[in-house]
């Protein structure tokens, strides 16, 4: 069933729409993610407009979107905007792009498999994701509009009394469906990695991208059911008048709003790592490829990522320092949180070790990978202030938190996705992107992005609350209005710069140069097969002879890479009879 | 196949192909996430209950222990019959018989749930008890219905003995994993909600 060769399906429906080919499903997820990324970005710009010019009509689009208020954003509308921006970006933009698209594309190709272990389940995973996206997008059009309880949907705000509209219920249903889709994908990814590796592909020969994607899938299997339980209870509270999260709503009922927060963050903290682990893995691989060096401390990186996975399961309480946890519990969560900085530092230093004295090629994918290193560093450092109780109590619920998690979750993961797109686009579509446009895209993304999120740290330090509708309503915040306007202008530039990317992709799909099998002279298995790969990926499943980053071996004179599939470097004996000391030093 | 071979109590068919092993791995991962789902619900139940001064809440009759125990017994017997189906997968007819018995017991379990549910609903103030039970038992019943669906899909194949030997054994193995999981989940639910 899994080993046999299958004929390529020929119909349009089975080839393009209901395809079971992981490469097609990857493209479908990429399209879904990019569409929602655009939508989430537009919502972000509307939020920024309100913060920079409170109560002023939104130019151009305002008259259509907010006709009832003559183009201005109402408080309810603003609440809806930031709720849906967060939800869309996390669950419908970044998750489909990194995990849906690149999980699907990379895992089978990089481990030398013909497809996923369960191709039908894989197809189902996409279509459930698409359905959940339709439910979420449709919730904008129901009476009362979309969800308004924040992306965290804490009860009693998300209960039937505070947000009675259908939109909030559809929000929960859509997230539940999204969870089902994610779970189907995750079971597929882990089974595929465990069962379908090519001969010779030991765990420590797998590229770090596969490590990151696999570990994220493990976290998904463990923690998506937790949020599913919370969502089930939330839905029942709303439609069946149960009382899980409402205290004293009916006699004999003593629900607890904090129960939702516990369940939400038991999932929510690992979710951060679910999104960032694939980005870490991809960056670790790309830095090696474009520094023409083996990944520094390869095994240590893999082990550090694994230990972060373990630690991430026991630190969720750092999101709840201010709810009245017992101080002892708070301290325990703080210590565990701080412990994460050890493996994170290992990871970070290993990245620096990889690029140290490398022959760096500043291809666009490398620029974005270096961008991840920078913004993840920023995110990690600002995280220390929020992980420590003393500073968190002051900074809690301020723009500092917004700046921090956008550096960590938004910027790192967005750059990770863009690095992945620039790196694997030739493999996916068989065309090269224009590198000049891509570099322009990088700089017009990287610089404005920092102008958006760094000032938020300052505003938050100055006491500006997050989710604030009218910043000038507090006297002490009036001084920040120029900063708010600067952020908004930077955000507009950031948004417009994405058109460069859209144009580059469209141009390349139409008239891009044909991609060779291995344009980056990389070493992992996906570069062995043609671009785009044929149905079932490989003519013959390759034997794997070495680790994933064999660059610049001194005993290979002609070129600075050897593919994992090559038993011998071309026309060169692998172990020359020369003094063995050199070759031993670089042997794996 | 001779009658003698079919009469022998063959051991549970070993996993034969790589693909079958992948199926077992996938099912195990799925059941792992299912365990987390039921675990989260039970943990929520424990947390809500711990905040009550008295349990069951004032005015609520105690949960119907005897009826729930009858449910437990039925599900336990169905698991035994499922195990028989797995052991006798070499003989399509016997396997089908055991599967049919499992299905009948599963349906009986769902029918026996109704008096338990209505007993809870009839309580004058069923507030939180209703919420908790609606969720836990409802979730379990939906999974069990899915299990019945899976059996209904495997059973006709066994009857016409179309998927021979190994293939039938592989399908029954996956059904059995899921079915036993439901038994364990119910046992945990029974112990937390009805016994303690
Ligand atoms: Cu966290």
């Amino acid at each position: 069933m899994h080993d046999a060769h299958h004929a390529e399906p020929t119909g349009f429906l089975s080839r393009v729409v209901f395809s079971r080919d992981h490469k097609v499903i990857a493209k479908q997820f990429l399209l879904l993610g990019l569409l929602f990324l655009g939508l989430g970005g537009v919502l972000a710009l509307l939020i920024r407009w309100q913060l920079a010019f409170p109560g002023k009509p939104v130019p151009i689009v305002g008259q259509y979107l907010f006709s009832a208020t003559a183009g201005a954003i109402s408080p309810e509308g603003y609440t809806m905007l930031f709720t849906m921006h967060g939800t869309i970006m996390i669950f419908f933009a970044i998750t489909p792009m990194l995990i849906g698209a690149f999980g699907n594309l990379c895992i089978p190709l990089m481990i030398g498999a013909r497809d996923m272990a369960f191709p039908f389940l894989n197809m189902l995973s996409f279509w459930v994701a698409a359905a959940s996206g339709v439910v979420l997008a449709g919730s904008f059009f129901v009476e009362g509009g979309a969800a308004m309880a924040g992306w965290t949907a804490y009860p009693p705000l998300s209960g039937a009394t505070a947000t009675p509209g259908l939109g909030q219920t559809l929000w929960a249903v859509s997230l539940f469906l999204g969870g089902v889709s994610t779970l189907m994908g995750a079971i597929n990814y882990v089974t595929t990695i465990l069962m379908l590796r090519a001969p010779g592909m030991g765990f420590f020969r797998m590229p770090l991208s596969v490590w990151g994607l696999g570990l994220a899938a493990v976290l998904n299997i463990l923690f998506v059911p937790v949020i599913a339980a919370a969502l089930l209870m939330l839905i029942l509270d709303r439609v069946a008048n149960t009382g899980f999260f409402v205290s004293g709503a009916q006699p004999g009922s003593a629900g607890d709003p904090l129960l939702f927060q516990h369940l939400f963050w038991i999932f929510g903290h690992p979710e951060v790592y679910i999104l960032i682990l694939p980005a870490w893995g991809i960056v670790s691989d790309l830095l090696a490829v474009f520094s023409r060096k083996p990944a520094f401390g390869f095994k240590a990186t893999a082990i550090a990522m694994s230990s972060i996975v373990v630690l991430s399961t026991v630190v969720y309480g750092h999101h709840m320092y201010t709810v009245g946890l017992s101080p002892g519990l708070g301290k325990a969560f703080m210590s565990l949180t701080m412990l994460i900085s050890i493996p994170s530092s290992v990871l970070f230093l290993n990245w620096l070790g990889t690029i140290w004295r490398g022959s760096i090629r500043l291809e666009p994918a490398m620029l974005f990978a270096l961008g991840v290193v920078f913004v993840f560093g920023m995110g990690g450092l600002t995280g220390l202030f929020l992980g420590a109780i003393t500073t968190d109590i002051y900074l809690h619920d301020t723009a500092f938190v917004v700046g921090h998690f956008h550096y960590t979750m938004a910027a790192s993961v967005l750059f990770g996705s863009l690095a992945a797109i620039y790196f694997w686009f030739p493999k996916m579509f068989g065309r090269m992107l224009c590198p000049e446009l891509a570099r322009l895209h990088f700089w017009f993304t990287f610089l404005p992005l920092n102008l958006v999120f760094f000032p938020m740290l300052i505003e938050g330090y100055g006491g500006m609350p997050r989710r604030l509708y009218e910043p000038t309503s507090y006297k002490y915040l009036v001084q920040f209005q120029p900063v708010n306007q600067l952020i908004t202008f930077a955000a507009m530039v950031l948004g417009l710069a994405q058109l460069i990317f859209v144009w580059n992709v469209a141009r390349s799909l139409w008239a891009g140069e044909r991609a060779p099998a291995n344009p980056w002279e990389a070493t992992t298995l996906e570069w062995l097969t043609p671009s785009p790969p044929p149905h079932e990926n490989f003519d013959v499943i390759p034997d794997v002879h070495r680790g994933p980053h064999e660059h610049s071996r001194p005993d290979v004179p002609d070129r600075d890479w050897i593919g994992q599939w090559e038993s011998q470097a071309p026309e060169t004996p692998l172990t020359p009879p020369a003094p063995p000391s050199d070759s031993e030093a670089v042997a794996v | 196949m001779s009658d003698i071979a079919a009469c022998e109590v063959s051991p549970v068919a070993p996993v034969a192909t790589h693909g079958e092993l992948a199926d077992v791995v996938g099912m195990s991962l799925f059941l792992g996430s299912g365990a987390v789902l039921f675990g989260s619900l039970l943990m929520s139940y424990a947390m809500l209950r711990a905040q009550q001064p008295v349990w069951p809440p004032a005015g609520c009759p105690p949960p119907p222990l005897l009826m729930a125990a009858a449910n437990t017994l039925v599900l336990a017997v169905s698991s035994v019959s499922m195990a028989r189906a797995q052991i006798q997968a070499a003989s399509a007819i016997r396997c089908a018989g055991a599967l049919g018995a499992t299905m009948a017991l599963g349906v009986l379990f769902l029918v026996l749930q109704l008096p338990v549910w209505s007993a809870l609903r009839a309580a004058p103030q069923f507030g939180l008890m209703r919420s908790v039970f609606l969720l836990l038992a409802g979730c379990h019943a939906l999974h069990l219905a899915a299990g019945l669906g899976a059996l209904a899909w495997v059973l006709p194949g066994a009857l016409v003995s179309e998927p021979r030997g190994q293939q039938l054994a592989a399908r029954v193995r996956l059904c059995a994993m899921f079915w036993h999981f439901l038994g364990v989940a119910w046992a945990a639910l029974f112990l937390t909600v009805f016994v303690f």
Side-chain angles (χ1 to χ4, degrees):
Chain A
M1 159 183 189
H2 298 272
D3 310 321
H5 240 313
H6 295 101
E8 187 172 358
T10 46
F12 174 78
L13 275 184
S14 54
R15 223 157 36 88
V16 182
V17 185
F18 297 110
S19 172
R20 303 180 189 189
D21 185 327
H22 72 103
K23 301 181 291 293
V24 180
I25 297 171
K27 289 180 194 172
Q28 293 172 327
F29 267 116
L30 188 62
L31 182 66
L32 182 79
L34 287 171
L35 286 177
F36 272 105
L37 185 70
L39 178 59
V42 170
L43 299 184
L45 289 177
L46 291 171
I47 296 170
R48 283 315 313 175
W49 176 265
Q50 168 64 20
L51 284 170
F53 309 103
K56 298 261 165 48
V58 182
I60 310 167
V61 293
Q63 47 187 324
Y64 306 109
L65 294 179
F66 312 104
S67 48
T69 46
I73 300 171
S74 66
E76 295 77 28
Y78 181 75
T79 317
M80 192 190 305
L81 286 176
F82 70 68
T83 298
M84 295 302 277
H85 163 72
T87 306
I88 285 175
M89 285 306 206
I90 293 170
F91 298 107
F92 295 89
I94 280 166
T95 306
M97 276 165 70
L98 259 190
I99 297 186
F102 290 103
N104 258 307
L105 179 79
C106 295
I107 291 175
L109 280 171
M110 284 183 135
I111 63 173
R114 296 209 178 278
D115 208 311
M116 287 286 176
F118 310 116
F120 181 78
L121 191 68
N122 206 15
M123 176 195 83
L124 218 54
S125 164
F126 172 75
W127 285 105
V128 173
S132 96
V134 168
V135 171
L136 192 82
S139 77
F140 278 108
F141 302 104
V142 301
E143 202 184 331
M148 285 192 220
W151 83 275
T152 48
Y154 285 173
L157 261 186
S158 55
T161 322
T163 43
L166 180 60
Q168 188 71 38
T169 309
L170 289 180
W171 177 93
V173 170
S174 147
L175 249 64
F176 186 85
L177 286 177
V180 172
S181 152
T182 301
L183 188 63
M184 292 196 251
I187 289 174
N188 231 332
Y189 294 180
V190 175
T191 311
T192 305
I193 292 173
L194 288 179
M195 300 302 299
L196 300 185
R197 280 165 294 129
M201 180 62 88
F203 286 121
F204 281 109
R205 280 182 177 176
M206 291 194 313
L208 288 163
S209 304
V210 178
W211 272 88
L213 287 160
L215 290 170
V218 170
L219 280 177
N220 265 326
I221 291 173
L222 286 177
F223 290 104
V224 161
V226 181
I227 188 81
L231 290 169
L232 272 180
M233 287 190 259
L234 187 65
I235 294 170
L236 285 176
D237 267 9
R238 295 182 59 83
V239 303
N241 198 26
T242 56
F244 296 109
F245 303 134
V246 193
S247 188
Q250 11 173 313
S253 117
D256 184 358
L258 271 190
L259 172 60
F260 183 88
Q261 291 196 26
H262 281 289
L263 292 172
F264 186 88
W265 289 116
I266 287 176
F267 157 80
H269 184 82
E271 169 70 8
V272 177
Y273 290 99
I274 287 167
L275 295 178
I276 208 168
L277 276 162
W280 283 347
I282 288 168
V283 166
S284 308
D285 281 339
L286 294 201
L287 291 181
V289 171
F290 293 112
S291 301
R292 316 309 293 166
K293 278 177 64 190
F296 184 86
F298 168 64
K299 279 190 185 177
T301 303
I303 292 167
M305 292 206 292
S306 311
S307 37
I308 289 174
V309 163
V310 175
L311 280 175
S312 79
T313 61
V314 289
V315 300
Y316 78 93
H318 61 216
H319 296 272
M320 297 172 67
Y321 286 150
T322 56
V323 304
L325 283 186
S326 101
L329 205 55
K331 275 184 206 160
F333 276 124
M334 175 168 82
S335 316
L336 287 165
T337 302
M338 292 299 161
L339 221 53
I340 291 194
S341 33
I342 298 171
S344 306
S345 307
V346 170
L347 197 70
F348 199 84
L349 291 173
N350 278 349
W351 289 346
L352 299 184
T354 303
I355 51 182
W356 176 253
R357 302 184 66 186
S359 319
I360 292 178
R361 297 181 182 174
L362 283 180
E363 298 287 351
M366 178 62 164
L367 284 175
F368 278 98
L370 291 170
V372 174
V373 174
F374 179 81
V375 293
F376 172 66
M378 287 295 301
L381 289 177
T382 52
L384 291 174
F385 296 90
L386 299 173
I389 298 174
T390 37
T391 36
D392 178 69
I393 287 173
Y394 174 74
L395 293 168
H396 174 80
D397 255 355
T398 64
F400 188 93
V401 179
V402 181
H404 157 73
F405 71 67
H406 276 90
Y407 265 120
T408 323
M409 257 175 109
S412 300
V413 178
L414 177 72
F415 281 4
S417 306
L418 288 170
I421 292 176
Y422 281 116
F423 189 64
W424 281 298
F425 188 92
K427 185 56 64 183
M428 247 176 147
F429 295 96
R431 305 262 191 180
M432 300 302 287
L433 287 164
C434 167
E436 286 76 25
L437 283 175
R439 286 196 187 91
L440 207 63
H441 175 220
F442 172 75
W443 289 111
F444 275 96
T445 303
F446 181 77
L447 296 176
L449 184 129
N450 282 288
L451 279 178
V452 169
F453 296 121
F454 195 84
M456 285 189 193
L457 301 172
I458 300 167
E459 287 184 330
Y461 190 73
M464 180 172 150
R466 71 192 280 205
R467 297 176 172 174
L468 186 61
Y469 171 65
E470 167 66 280
T472 54
S473 58
Y474 297 96
K475 252 189 202 143
Y476 76 101
L477 290 181
V478 173
Q479 55 168 335
F480 283 132
Q481 220 34 39
V483 182
N484 274 326
Q485 288 168 355
L486 167 78
I487 296 178
T488 300
F489 284 125
M492 287 172 179
V493 175
L494 177 65
L496 285 177
Q498 304 317 303
L499 296 178
I500 306 173
F501 170 72
V502 174
W503 164 247
N504 197 355
V505 168
R507 195 204 60 92
S508 162
L509 288 179
W510 184 251
E513 192 191 323
R514 296 273 171 196
N518 190 357
W520 314 120
E521 300 184 305
T523 55
T524 42
L525 292 184
E526 77 272 31
W527 304 108
L528 160 68
T529 188
S531 308
H535 182 66
E536 303 212 316
N537 298 347
F538 303 95
D539 287 340
V540 182
I541 294 291
D543 278 335
V544 178
H545 298 279
R546 58 196 72 250
H549 311 112
E550 296 221 353
H551 287 289
S552 307
R553 280 181 65 150
D555 56 336
V556 181
D558 298 341
R559 42 173 215 196
D560 61 357
W561 62 280
I562 313 176
Q564 287 190 277
W565 59 89
E566 291 176 282
S567 59
Q568 298 246 305
E571 294 135 37
T572 322
L574 256 190
T575 27
S581 53
D582 271 1
S583 52
E584 259 173 31
V586 285
V588 173
Chain B
M1 255 320 135
S2 71
D3 285 339
I4 304 159
C7 282
E8 274 172 8
V9 180
S10 55
V12 175
V15 172
T17 67
H18 202 69
E20 282 176 27
L21 188 56
D23 291 343
V24 170
V25 170
M27 178 56 91
S28 310
L29 294 169
F30 173 65
L31 296 183
S33 77
V36 177
L37 176 71
F38 281 102
S40 306
L41 294 176
L42 287 172
M43 191 204 81
S44 307
Y45 167 80
M47 190 171 152
L48 291 176
R49 180 169 156 177
Q51 292 175 0
Q52 292 280 334
V54 284
W55 191 264
C60 219
L65 177 63
L66 271 183
M67 270 186 275
N71 270 273
T72 313
L73 188 68
V74 169
L75 207 54
V77 177
S78 82
S79 256
V80 172
S81 134
M82 189 76 228
R84 272 186 67 81
Q86 214 184 339
I87 290 168
Q88 304 203 319
S91 147
I93 302 293
R94 280 160 193 258
C95 178
L99 285 178
T102 311
M103 282 184 74
L105 288 163
V107 173
L108 180 63
F109 172 85
L110 287 182
V111 172
L112 284 178
Q113 286 274 286
L114 296 177
V116 181
W117 295 12
S118 61
L120 280 174
R121 286 188 68 93
Q125 295 166 316
F126 44 70
L128 188 61
M129 283 291 281
R130 182 191 70 158
S131 307
V132 167
F133 197 78
L134 179 69
L135 183 62
L136 279 169
C139 219
H140 183 265
L142 279 179
H143 279 82
L144 199 100
L148 285 174
L151 287 179
W153 176 69
V154 173
L155 185 64
L159 268 184
V160 298
S161 63
E162 163 255 316
R164 287 197 182 271
Q166 196 61 44
Q167 200 186 349
L168 177 65
R171 285 180 185 178
V172 173
R173 181 188 304 117
L174 295 178
C175 285
M177 287 173 76
F178 187 61
W179 199 264
H180 296 320
F181 167 78
L182 288 177
V184 174
W186 173 262
L189 201 161
F190 174 67
L191 287 176
T192 15
V193 177
F194 293 97
V195 177
F196 296 111

